[in-house]
Amino acid sequence: MRSLLVILFGMAGFAGAQAQVAFTTSVKKGPVVVGESFRVQYVLEDDGHREFQAPAFAGFRFVSGPDVYEAQGYGADGVRKLKNIVYTLEAIKPGRFRIEGARARNGDGLIKSDDAWVEVITAAEAAKRGVKVAPAGNDAAYFLQPGEDPYRKIQDNLFLKVTVDKRSCFVGEAITATFKLYSRLMSKSDIVRNPGFYGFTVQDMIGLADKESSMETVNGKRFDVHTIRKVQLYPLRAGSFVIDPMEILSRVEFSRSAVNRQPEQEINEGVVAEPDRTGHLDTEVFESSMHSPQVAIAVKEPPVKNRPRDFAGATGRFRISAVIDHARLAKNEAATLIVTISGHGNFTQLGEPLIQWPAGIETFEPRVADSLDHTVTPLTGTRTFRFSFATAKPGLYTIPAIRFSFFDPDSNRYQAVTAPGLQITVSDKETPMAKLPVNGGQQRRNTTWIIVLFTAVIAAALGAGFWYRKRKEGPAGTPPANVQPVVGIDHLLQPASALLQADTKLFHTSLRQCIWNFFALQLGLSGSAMNNRHLLAVLEQKKIVPESRATIDAILRQCDTAIFTGVAMETDKKDLLEQTKQVLEKIADSLHQA
């Protein structure tokens, strides 16, 4: 098969007189950017031992050479042996420069190849023209010399690296892990296995779709570098954890001819496409699998000494503020306490701040909204908790100062910030039910949602009242014996069941309300006591088995995630409803057997 060098050689007039010795100069077509390396090739007919003299390459920085490759050419007089003598140069200033021809001895005389011209432009001019800067000498990596091991060449010129900014940290302290593919080859790569991050909360920063690439020098060679994935990791508990390998399958194309061709890389995630079999002149494709190494991370518990009693795992540096949307209310009028935590740290793991609500105020689970910058480590921004509340009793109420404790890994110390206390004045003026705000002051979104929530609240209130009356009828201080649920589980879950075909947020909102209705009936929970932490403590006190406690906690957390973050849930709604029914029945049986 004729090589591309042979074709170029023929175009240069190789088919001339038999006595004429072929000797040509070849350089990159198009402009070269200042700082870019490029190749100069001299193709010389080799009919014996010849003396070769390279020019001085004035105006350029010498990088490497000569690299000598052998080839064959075909002319009118048959097959001729050729030598391809290659030098790598670097452009150092803009302008139009002459590459002098080389000289070789031909018998008793000298022959000279033609001069060539190279245009050198600045990076700014390259950007205007859309000229891509090529890595130094990468076209040499594309050429597979006779007898060269292709797999060793792949190993040296295509590899995967993972870097982490720290290998030891505290629980909740951010770790940045970056996966990069380094290449000097013509390759098509596919991610066949993404790493597992068990024991961490994961926040993606850069993905394959961002197409982030750069150039780096490794052992004197310039590589195209593609950032495949960059993540923030927040450890959930102390211990020794491992970042699993990423695995990539690549198909690499090599040329058997020494040609000027800059390699390109294609990276996908999924199934590698079948190799292109349309045929490229003097090329071969080799398949190679690679993976990044495992990375061990040692996670330490924050110090026990001086740990505040209210510390709940916040790690970083934070501030806190609190406001009430309107502090003067009528009876039964709803208002919202807005608590904002800002700063940087493990926002994804922050729970709600502890608020000491005055007696007589009824509250509900907060709505949570984040405004975070995911491009920096650790996460920076705000998490806002909106607590809806109301009271039927007029008077002056005071919400004490809200304290928030956190561990600062930079100073290795615990710190606390405080939002000042707030006052609420409630008049004895009655607020008509029709004017009550929907969903804690938010605008009306969905008529069905309003009906479901309003019905659920009324049912909970009536059921709770009936349950309290039942308790009062029994002996003082003695739990009533053999009490059946006031309302059956199927009936309690009916609002959520009716919304199986509704959107995810609406269904999970209804399901969460049904669950809290159940615990309002069974345990008498209401107001600020209706939160996951308090519920789990009460269930443990009631000797509910750990499996049931963990299940109901997971279901409530899944509901919160669907409602407040908008993340798509993988669990089937019908399966989740059935799981909820089963665990509530187990809890009800346990409570009535106690």
Side-chain angles (χ1 to χ4, degrees):
M1 184 182 291
R2 296 185 180 183
S3 68
L4 182 56
L5 284 174
V6 175
I7 296 172
L8 292 172
F9 177 70
M11 293 174 62
F14 178 70
Q18 290 185 9
Q20 183 180 359
V21 176
F23 196 12
T24 60
T25 306
S26 176
V27 296
K28 176 184 176 182
K29 294 182 179 180
V32 176
V33 181
V34 172
E36 179 184 1
S37 296
F38 66 99
R39 305 178 74 203
V40 180
Q41 301 181 72
Y42 297 101
V43 181
L44 171 65
E45 180 182 350
D46 183 20
D47 58 357
H49 297 288
R50 296 183 183 277
E51 296 178 10
F52 178 85
Q53 299 176 3
F57 301 120
F60 299 94
R61 186 179 74 83
F62 180 81
V63 176
S64 65
D67 297 315
V68 181
Y69 312 115
E70 294 182 352
Q72 287 185 335
Y74 297 84
D77 54 351
V79 179
R80 293 184 180 183
K81 292 182 179 180
L82 304 176
K83 279 188 178 179
N84 187 5
I85 305 165
V86 182
Y87 292 86
T88 302
L89 309 177
E90 182 180 322
I92 56 178
K93 60 182 179 180
R96 190 168 185 269
F97 298 90
R98 184 179 66 175
I99 303 291
E100 292 186 9
R103 289 177 171 80
R105 184 167 296 280
N106 179 26
D108 294 333
L110 289 175
I111 57 175
K112 180 177 178 292
S113 65
D114 296 334
D115 295 341
W117 291 87
V118 173
E119 180 188 10
V120 181
I121 60 176
T122 62
E125 180 63 24
K128 283 183 181 180
R129 300 191 196 180
V131 175
K132 182 180 179 181
V133 180
N138 278 20
D139 48 346
Y142 177 59
F143 172 58
L144 191 63
Q145 300 184 50
E148 189 173 14
D149 183 351
Y151 295 102
R152 178 58 185 270
K153 193 158 192 173
I154 292 173
Q155 181 180 341
D156 292 341
N157 294 281
L158 180 68
F159 53 88
L160 183 63
K161 289 179 65 176
V162 56
T163 58
V164 293
D165 61 346
K166 56 178 75 75
R167 292 177 180 264
S168 176
C169 65
F170 290 100
V171 174
E173 184 179 2
I175 299 170
T176 304
T178 308
F179 295 82
K180 293 182 177 181
L181 182 68
Y182 290 70
S183 178
R184 302 176 73 241
L185 302 177
M186 188 76 67
S187 62
K188 292 184 178 181
S189 301
D190 183 74
I191 303 170
V192 294
R193 188 178 73 173
N194 263 300
F197 301 109
Y198 306 109
F200 300 91
T201 299
V202 183
Q203 180 63 59
D204 280 288
M205 300 175 70
I206 297 174
L208 195 60
D210 295 308
K211 299 185 181 299
E212 181 169 299
S213 62
S214 60
M215 290 184 184
E216 293 183 24
T217 300
V218 180
N219 297 327
K221 297 179 180 179
R222 296 287 295 277
F223 283 80
D224 282 321
V225 182
H226 303 269
T227 300
I228 298 174
R229 193 174 184 191
K230 185 176 182 181
V231 296
Q232 296 181 41
L233 305 175
Y234 293 90
L236 294 166
R237 57 186 176 85
S240 180
F241 299 91
V242 172
I243 298 175
D244 289 340
M246 173 182 283
E247 186 175 342
I248 289 182
L249 183 66
S250 298
R251 285 195 170 98
V252 181
E253 178 186 295
F254 288 114
S255 173
R256 292 290 184 181
S257 304
V259 297
N260 270 323
R261 183 179 181 186
Q262 295 301 331
E264 297 176 353
Q265 296 83 39
E266 179 183 321
I267 308 174
N268 298 293
E269 187 170 2
V271 179
V272 179
E274 286 297 315
D276 184 2
R277 302 188 183 279
T278 56
H280 297 278
L281 189 64
D282 271 358
T283 62
E284 289 186 67
V285 176
F286 298 86
E287 190 172 280
S288 175
S289 178
M290 68 188 75
H291 59 80
S292 61
Q294 286 187 336
V295 179
I297 305 293
V299 182
K300 302 171 290 186
E301 230 7 294
V304 176
K305 184 179 179 181
N306 299 324
R307 181 182 295 179
R309 295 183 63 182
D310 63 335
F311 175 69
T315 303
R317 188 171 295 175
F318 301 96
R319 301 179 299 276
I320 189 171
S321 64
V323 296
I324 296 176
D325 58 355
H326 50 287
R328 302 186 68 84
L329 309 173
K331 287 192 304 182
N332 296 321
E333 182 180 1
T336 304
L337 171 64
I338 304 167
V339 180
T340 301
I341 297 174
S342 58
H344 60 263
N346 59 336
F347 275 98
T348 57
Q349 300 170 351
L350 295 189
E352 63 188 75
L354 182 62
I355 299 172
Q356 299 176 19
W357 292 98
I361 289 185
E362 296 294 321
T363 65
F364 302 93
E365 285 283 300
R367 288 170 289 123
V368 185
D370 290 337
S371 177
L372 303 173
D373 185 353
H374 302 108
T375 64
V376 296
T377 305
L379 288 169
T380 300
T382 62
R383 170 164 283 190
T384 302
F385 300 86
R386 301 177 66 90
F387 298 85
S388 295
F389 66 92
T391 181
K393 299 179 181 179
L396 179 63
Y397 296 85
T398 299
I399 298 176
I402 303 170
R403 174 185 161 99
F404 183 76
S405 296
F406 58 89
F407 176 69
D408 181 2
D410 293 335
S411 62
N412 199 29
R413 295 174 56 188
Y414 291 99
Q415 298 187 35
V417 290
T418 305
L422 300 166
Q423 286 193 333
I424 307 160
T425 302
V426 180
S427 70
D428 59 359
K429 181 180 178 181
E430 187 73 33
T431 298
M433 183 63 69
K435 294 183 179 180
L436 283 174
V438 178
N439 194 23
Q442 293 296 303
Q443 291 184 342
R444 193 178 307 267
R445 292 182 181 177
N446 186 297
T447 303
T448 305
W449 191 2
I450 296 170
I451 294 171
V452 169
L453 293 181
F454 181 76
T455 303
V457 170
I458 295 300
L462 293 174
F466 182 53
W467 186 84
Y468 280 125
R469 288 196 299 274
K470 280 293 201 180
R471 284 193 63 183
K472 289 181 179 179
E473 292 173 1
T478 304
N482 301 322
V483 177
Q484 297 301 315
V486 176
V487 182
I489 303 298
D490 286 328
H491 183 74
L492 274 174
L493 294 177
Q494 183 56 40
S497 179
L499 294 174
L500 281 172
Q501 304 303 319
D503 65 74
T504 298
K505 187 171 184 178
L506 184 57
F507 168 77
H508 284 86
T509 300
S510 179
L511 179 62
R512 188 182 72 157
Q513 187 61 54
C514 293
I515 293 171
W516 284 117
N517 289 347
F518 169 84
F519 288 114
L521 293 171
Q522 296 290 336
L523 301 175
L525 298 182
S526 63
S528 59
M530 299 178 77
N531 64 75
N532 293 25
R533 188 185 312 164
H534 181 69
L535 172 63
L536 293 177
V538 173
L539 291 178
E540 183 177 7
Q541 183 183 7
K542 298 289 185 181
K543 301 187 183 307
I544 302 300
V545 296
E547 180 184 357
S548 295
R549 300 202 305 265
T551 300
I552 198 64
D553 182 50
I555 293 172
L556 285 170
R557 289 183 181 276
Q558 178 169 332
C559 289
D560 291 342
T561 300
I563 296 167
F564 301 126
T565 68
V567 174
M569 296 289 104
E570 296 182 0
T571 307
D572 181 77
K573 294 176 187 175
K574 190 174 181 180
D575 291 343
L576 182 62
L577 189 64
E578 180 61 29
Q579 184 183 15
T580 304
K581 176 185 174 182
Q582 292 176 7
V583 71
L584 292 183
E585 288 176 344
K586 288 181 181 179
I587 292 173
D589 290 343
S590 299
L591 288 172
H592 297 128
Q593 291 171 7

